[in-house]
Amino acid sequence: MARLDNKVAVITGAASGFGEGMAKRFAEEGARVVVADLNSKGADRVAGEIGKQAIAVTTDVSQRSEVDEMVAAAMKAFGRVDIMVNNAGLTHRNGDMLGVDEDMFDLIAAVNMKAIYYSTLAVVPIMERQGGGTIITTASTAGLRPRPGLTWYNASKGWAITATKSMAVELAPKKIRVNCLCPVAGETGMLAQFMGEDTPEKRAMFRASIPLGRLSTPLDIANAALWLASDEAEFITGIALEVDGGRCI
Ligand SMILES: NC(=O)c1ccc[n+]([C@@H]2O[C@H](COP(=O)([O-])OP(=O)(O)OC[C@H]3O[C@@H](n4cnc5c(N)ncnc54)[C@H](O)[C@@H]3O)[C@@H](O)[C@H]2O)c1
């Protein structure tokens, strides 16, 4: 028996990076997967590569109606939602906090924070009817050990960690587990923004702050998410799991 047999996962931001890694790894372990992303071409590609276990849904998670439609599409295709992964996210470019304009701030707040509220409103009643479920958010080491240059992004991830813990205690009686992942800088489309510029020197600087000596990969994050999503983690709720090669020590 595979680790996610009979489970349905909705994963946002699944057209690339960590979300793509999770969608593919979850499917390998038997899950049926909704690949949701603003980038419809990427979502179609990922769902196509997975095969008939997956559907692609174009979703802007900053819009409540689109999040509702995403969950409705999951119900229509697969009849249930066991795993909700809030993974879509974005950052401002590394730099002075005073240089981030209000539109960018609002976008970060909408995608990294408010979208979690929208998906929670949509999936909790479904999970409650089903007798349980699990919610996983991709937070960040940035929410635990903030460093200069990414202040508003860091704060949005701190919000996600606190929301996770508070949701976990409130949803425990409904048998809904809520956890988050705290990846260290990883090899995805967001890396250049985090570093300010993607140069060999900047990469070496980032690697030097990670005891295990490398950046994270989508597979590292997918394997951690897989464990949290599976019944192996049935007694785990409210954690912010550092997937960071020791960065936060
Ligand atoms: N890469 C890192 O170093 C790193 C470290 C810690 C945490 N994270 C977090 O990991 C998550 C995934 O990012 P990634 O690193 O894989 O980068 P990525 O850019 O490859 O993936 C982010 C995905 O989110 C999608 N997205 C953006 N806005 C959206 C919206 N409004 N609606 C729906 N989808 C939207 C993008 O299209 C993209 O496919 C993010 O929450 C990010 O903050 C990344």
Side-chain angles (χ1 to χ4, degrees), residues 42-102:
D44 284 342
R45 176 186 59 77
V46 172
E49 287 169 10
I50 292 172
K52 64 176 183 350
Q53 260 170 278
I55 59 164
V57 180
T58 304
T59 310
D60 179 349
V61 297
S62 70
Q63 303 301 315
R64 183 172 181 173
S65 60
E66 297 199 20
V67 173
D68 288 345
E69 282 163 22
M70 169 186 79
V71 173
M75 292 301 284
K76 184 159 180 248
F78 302 128
R80 53 190 296 120
V81 176
D82 302 282
I83 305 159
M84 176 70 230
V85 185
N86 299 301
N87 170 76
L90 80 158
T91 184
H92 53 89
R93 184 168 287 280
N94 196 314
D96 184 345
M97 73 177 93
L98 304 184
V100 177
D101 68 31
E102 190 171 345

Side-chain angles (χ1 to χ4, degrees), residues 63-209:
Q63 303 301 315
R64 183 172 181 173
S65 60
E66 297 199 20
V67 173
D68 288 345
E69 282 163 22
M70 169 186 79
V71 173
M75 292 301 284
K76 184 159 180 248
F78 302 128
R80 53 190 296 120
V81 176
D82 302 282
I83 305 159
M84 176 70 230
V85 185
N86 299 301
N87 170 76
L90 80 158
T91 184
H92 53 89
R93 184 168 287 280
N94 196 314
D96 184 345
M97 73 177 93
L98 304 184
V100 177
D101 68 31
E102 190 171 345
D103 287 346
M104 190 64 201
F105 180 95
D106 286 345
L107 190 59
I108 290 169
V111 177
N112 296 8
M113 294 160 50
K114 200 167 183 186
I116 298 172
Y117 164 75
Y118 291 150
S119 73
T120 300
L121 294 180
V123 300
V124 164
I126 294 170
M127 290 178 175
E128 190 176 5
R129 273 201 306 279
Q130 290 170 181
T134 185
I135 299 172
I136 299 169
T137 293
T138 308
S140 175
T141 53
L144 296 168
R145 296 287 304 275
R147 290 286 174 267
L150 291 169
T151 288
W152 311 121
Y153 173 78
N154 296 342
S156 74
K157 295 301 187 180
W159 183 98
I161 293 166
T162 301
T164 296
K165 290 175 189 280
S166 194
M167 286 166 63
V169 282
E170 196 167 326
L171 294 174
K174 301 185 200 294
K175 303 279 177 261
I176 299 171
R177 299 185 297 107
V178 189
N179 294 290
C180 66
L181 297 162
C182 293
V184 76
E187 303 272 7
T188 73
M190 283 177 75
L191 189 60
Q193 298 275 95
F194 288 135
M195 296 191 300
E197 48 174 1
D198 190 352
T199 60
E201 296 73 30
K202 276 279 165 75
R203 281 182 178 243
M205 207 180 85
F206 268 67
R207 271 200 306 275
S209 71

